Amino acid sequence: APHRDFYNVRKVDTHVHHSACMNQKHLLRFIKSKLKREPHELVIYRDGKFLNLREVFESINLSGYDLNVDTLDMHADKNTFHRFDRFNLKYNPCCQSRLRE
């Protein structure tokens, strides 16, 4: 039967969260390199004005030298898998939701 393959297809989940594509060490390396090479790039529009990357980190009293794996505080554990609400709570770099924007 020509339609037999249609019934043998398995479901493929293409729902991918790009925030879950990096571990915390890769994210830390990426943030530090952006702060060093492109600190004046506009990254957010908040309260009626554009802020660059350096200004965003100044507003939360952090610099590239203050950042480490512990200050990112993004440790995934078994409770975050398959629960996007818990993942969102954990995925706040430096406990600042504005760094997710």
Side-chain angles (χ1 to χ4, degrees), residues 5-76:
D5 288 341
F6 178 79
Y7 295 104
N8 290 331
V9 171
R10 300 289 185 247
K11 179 179 183 257
V12 176
D13 187 6
T14 58
H15 187 115
V16 177
H17 298 280
H18 294 285
S19 55
C21 293
M22 288 188 194
N23 63 26
Q24 57 188 346
K25 191 171 184 177
H26 288 139
L27 180 64
L28 177 65
R29 203 174 299 144
F30 176 76
I31 292 172
K32 283 187 169 191
S33 71
K34 284 293 186 180
L35 278 171
K36 184 177 181 179
R37 292 185 178 96
E38 302 174 34
H40 300 293
E41 185 172 338
L42 298 177
V43 293
I44 191 172
Y45 182 76
R46 179 169 281 201
D47 300 328
K49 66 177 189 170
F50 289 99
L51 297 175
N52 63 32
L53 190 58
R54 184 179 50 80
E55 293 169 335
V56 169
F57 274 87
E58 285 175 354
S59 72
I60 57 174
N61 298 320
L62 282 177
S63 71
Y65 298 107
D66 299 326
L67 290 175
N68 59 40
V69 172
D70 293 327
T71 56
L72 279 182
D73 191 29
M74 294 175 32
H75 307 287

